[in-house]
Amino acid sequence: MAYVPGVALLAALVVGCSAGSDSNANGADSKAGSPTVTPAPPGKYETLPAPCRAVPRGMLKDLLPGAAELPGDQQEKVFRGSASVTYDTDRKVGCSWKSDAPNATRSLSIDFERVVSYDPAVSDDDRADTVYAKKEKAAGLSSSAAPGPDAEKNTGTPGEKEKGKGADAEKSEDPAGDATASADPSSSSSSSSPSGDAVGEDGAGGSGVGPEDALPSRVLDNLGDAAFLHDLPTRAGSTAQHRTVSVVFRTSNVVVTVRYAEQPALVTQVSDSKELQEKAQALARKLAETLSE
């Protein structure tokens, strides 16, 4: 039997161990090369504006007629507004105002919601778009841009959409559908409007406003990334006229809701739908500019 010197045997063992180590290293490298998921980009906005300071004083005077004629301390109280009760001001804030004039009571509320996606595969913007699409659907509107299976197509006139909502109409007063609406003091008094069956055969509801006067709820262009307007007149047969106009828009990962309502002092008076809609839209555009600054 051949004799193997001790030094030669030791060298052979070292070579074998080195080869085994290289093999394991190559195997580990092959696993590390497997595909990885790139996290979705974050939303544009990381903070929200102070809601009770978001509306310029000049616009408040126009939106709340009668407030400017009040004594100084009462006037300041009206224009100061009432902040919504929220538990995370980084994610949701709001403010409301209300004024009484001899001919009508008007109320205004705004809500900002910053949407954050905790799914690395879904961006904040996409999650916010889903939140917005649900509000648009709750208002009886549809948009080709609405993502996902929840974005059902809805055809027909705005009046037909309102009548076809059925039980969901009880929730359509506030297309935003968020907690700040229930915490809004004006929502529980003058800005809370009756639900759903407001729209009658002429598409204008029980307010007595004909279809040639009432502008329908609709998707809006050139406001944020997506926007709609929801005009909710008084419930048919109600003894008090009342109208609430909501404008909801999304810009990046923030969804903003403006609610503007009027209740005339006399049941024979009818709110001017066009005026309410124009003023609500003007405020929404101003808030969109404020977010972009």
Side-chain angles (χ1 to χ4, degrees):
M1 183 176 65
Y3 173 74
V4 179
V7 174
L9 178 60
L10 179 61
L13 291 173
V14 170
V15 171
C17 291
S18 299
S21 299
D22 291 342
S23 175
N24 291 337
N26 291 337
D29 289 343
S30 64
K31 292 180 181 179
S34 59
T36 58
V37 177
T38 303
K44 177 180 179 180
Y45 301 103
E46 298 180 356
T47 60
L48 293 172
C52 292
R53 296 198 297 269
V55 184
R57 178 65 64 95
M59 293 193 77
L60 283 175
K61 289 182 178 180
D62 182 50
L63 291 163
L64 304 171
E69 283 71 43
L70 294 172
D73 56 341
Q74 296 181 33
Q75 182 182 139
E76 285 302 315
K77 182 179 180 180
V78 171
F79 289 141
R80 185 164 57 245
S82 177
S84 302
V85 178
T86 62
Y87 300 97
D88 187 351
T89 54
D90 287 335
R91 295 287 301 278
K92 186 177 291 187
V93 294
C95 192
S96 61
W97 299 261
K98 178 183 175 184
S99 70
D100 296 312
N103 60 338
T105 295
R106 290 201 183 184
S107 58
L108 168 71
S109 70
I110 59 174
D111 295 311
F112 296 89
E113 180 179 359
R114 186 174 69 89
V115 181
V116 177
S117 172
Y118 295 100
D119 184 346
V122 180
S123 70
D124 292 346
D125 284 18
D126 287 344
R127 183 69 68 192
D129 201 21
T130 299
V131 171
Y132 166 84
K134 289 180 179 179
K135 298 176 187 296
E136 188 180 85
K137 180 182 177 183
L141 301 171
S142 64
S143 171
S144 59
D150 291 337
E152 296 179 0
K153 293 184 179 180
N154 194 352
T155 59
T157 64
E160 290 170 343
K161 294 172 186 175
E162 291 285 346
K163 290 187 291 183
K165 286 187 288 182
D168 290 340
E170 295 299 325
K171 301 178 181 178
S172 68
E173 171 195 343
D174 174 17
D178 53 34
T180 55
S182 60
D184 181 354
S186 63
S187 295
S188 61
S189 55
S190 64
S191 69
S192 293
S193 82
S195 59
D197 57 353
V199 178
E201 292 301 320
D202 60 2
S207 64
V209 180
E212 69 278 4
D213 300 316
L215 299 175
S217 300
R218 60 197 180 278
V219 173
L220 300 175
D221 296 325
N222 303 319
L223 176 56
D225 297 314
F228 70 87
L229 180 148
H230 187 226
D231 189 336
L232 187 66
T234 308
R235 180 199 299 258
S238 174
T239 58
Q241 303 294 347
H242 191 283
R243 195 172 209 101
T244 301
V245 172
S246 297
V247 175
V248 181
F249 71 91
R250 179 185 73 83
T251 175
S252 186
N253 61 318
V254 171
V255 179
V256 182
T257 301
V258 174
R259 287 180 293 273
Y260 188 41
E262 180 185 68
Q263 181 172 331
L266 302 176
V267 295
T268 55
Q269 294 176 320
V270 177
S271 298
D272 187 336
S273 174
K274 183 178 180 181
E275 179 198 3
L276 295 178
Q277 290 192 20
E278 288 178 348
K279 290 185 175 182
Q281 288 185 75
L283 176 55
R285 296 183 191 284
K286 179 62 179 178
L287 295 178
E289 293 175 3
T290 301
L291 284 169
S292 300
E293 292 176 352

